[in-house]
Amino acid sequence: MDELDRDPPAPPVGADAVAELVTIEQFLQDRRPEGASGDLTALLYDLALAGKLISNRTRRAGLTELMGASGVINPQGEEQKALDLYADDVVTSLLRRGGRVCAIVSEERPEPTIVDGTGTYVVVHDPLDGSSNIDSNVSIGTIFGIYPRLSDPDGPPDDGDWLRPGRDLVAAGYVLYGTSTVLVLSTGDGVHAFTLDPEVGEFVLTWADMHHPDTPAYYSFNHASSPLWDQGIGDFVAWLERPDTPQLSQRYIGSAVADFHRNLLHGGIYGYPAETGLPDGKLRMVYEGAPLAFLAEQAGGLGSDGHQPLLDVVPTTIHQRTPVFLGHRGLVERLQDMVDAAPGP
Ligand code: P6P
């Protein structure tokens, strides 16, 4: 047999593996805008590293003392779990060390953490959303948003840097600690997901350019609270459950990041309405509502407070709460219409 008849040599297995492997570093480098300083990319690396460290601890929470309560009460009046404190410390320490932020807003701290130096970004984050689920081994998550600094870099950052509409975000994302650890992020050019390969410690691209499916599959509301909702919300959920409307399954896991992620993949709507006793709802605008709404819109969906896009709301305090409805644009808009149409105070 002469040379021409022989099949080309099969590429070495390693080359195949590498060819398919897109790490988060490679992905961000490939999408870095011309002339960008690289600070945002480096900041996202720091948050990815924080996700790896927190993931490692959540996997061991039952094996160490991290499962329990810390005995400390956070600004929300909720008892902080030891893992909340660990996650907050990890994010804060890595961001301080990275030198790219001037301020950090955290659910776990009463005031923003001001970082000396020349950092040009502000990070807002919920270090561990859903932490009440830790002992029941339900998925939990870290939520983050990134703003460019507005204040004069020669002076201290001020609340104009973080009390601003989510429309100003330049990036947002979450790390979901579930059956696997998934980092979902957007820098304004679509939503992309990276799954942590624990054997090599790399976040590897697993979903690029994610979009809410046109046909929704789930709705995520806590039905136990329905007697406490305003009429428009009750009317919307009752409409969802009518036999002649889209047949959706009800899935509500008590962890917004997990509900949001499932609905992003399979289509649906998550809602935490205002209710008697919680006139502004439960979720927080700055570090939960706005980042998740940024992702929802980047994925072709919508995030709303029941009346308007969450990204258009200007918060007045860093821990303020808001009703939150996230996901399939058609469903969120229908909810808004039914809320506006309902008689009410
Ligand atoms: P409830 C977790 O504490 C959280 O902020 C969200 O992640 C979750 O969707 C919601 O609260 C659950 O609240 O009142 O239904 O238990």
Side-chain angles (χ1 to χ4, degrees), residues 78 126 129-133 222 225 252 254-257 259 270 272 282-284 288:
E78 298 159 346
D126 180 355
D129 180 69
S131 57
S132 57
N133 295 296
N222 184 349
S225 302
Y252 185 83
S255 179
V257 176
D259 282 321
Y270 165 90
Y272 203 108
K282 179 182 181 186
L283 271 67
R284 294 80 172 183
E288 291 172 335

Side-chain angles (χ1 to χ4, degrees), residues 90-103:
V90 163
V91 174
T92 304
S93 305
L94 284 171
L95 293 179
R96 277 183 178 280
R97 188 183 74 176
R100 294 173 182 91
V101 302
C102 62

